[in-house]
Amino acid sequence: MSTLQAVELILLAGCLLLALWLVLVWLRRRSLAAHGPLNPCAVKLPESPRWRLGLLRLGSDRLDWFSVGRVTTHPTMTWLREGLEISTPQSGETVSIPGLDGALSVTLSGRDGVLARLAVEPKIYPAIRSWLESAPPGHNVNVT
């Protein structure tokens, strides 16, 4: 086998692996969207200096965040709805993150203090806010 043939085989294998990864990411996105709407979002943990791009899903009792590049259908981070608080975005405070135009930065906090900072598109913030402020299904049903 000549050097040119070896290089061609390596390039072919690389292209096939890239195509396989793209198909898996596409199938994962469809699988995640089957369980509720997904929104682009970035998260920044208190101990981390960088933003990580991902997908945010509002569940009935929790907020799930999925990393963009992973293939698993399990959430990378989950925050339970009960005890979760979200700050209001500061006026004029936007963060520049590729893939999120004019993202608003808000703080998620819970009983243990600050959990993370979220960067969401301005049209998504009211949905997250209303989801958080509404009562979870079945919560305080038998109040007399």
Side-chain angles (χ1 to χ4, degrees), residues 26-79:
W26 178 75
L27 288 172
R28 174 184 176 252
R29 171 82 187 243
R30 290 189 50 93
S31 173
L32 293 176
H35 300 289
L38 294 173
N39 300 300
C41 169
V43 69
K44 182 178 178 182
L45 298 175
E47 65 273 2
S48 175
R50 67 182 186 100
W51 290 95
R52 296 173 52 199
L53 195 59
L55 300 169
L56 191 67
R57 183 174 66 193
L58 305 174
S60 62
D61 62 343
R62 67 181 192 245
L63 188 63
D64 293 329
W65 184 81
F66 301 89
S67 180
V68 170
R70 299 182 83 179
V71 182
T72 180
T73 57
H74 299 290
T76 306
M77 287 180 244
T78 298
W79 300 283

Side-chain angles (χ1 to χ4, degrees), residues 113-131:
V114 174
L115 302 172
R117 290 187 57 79
L118 288 181
V120 295
E121 293 178 342
K123 63 182 180 181
I124 301 302
Y125 173 74
I128 297 171
R129 187 71 160 174
S130 62
W131 169 83

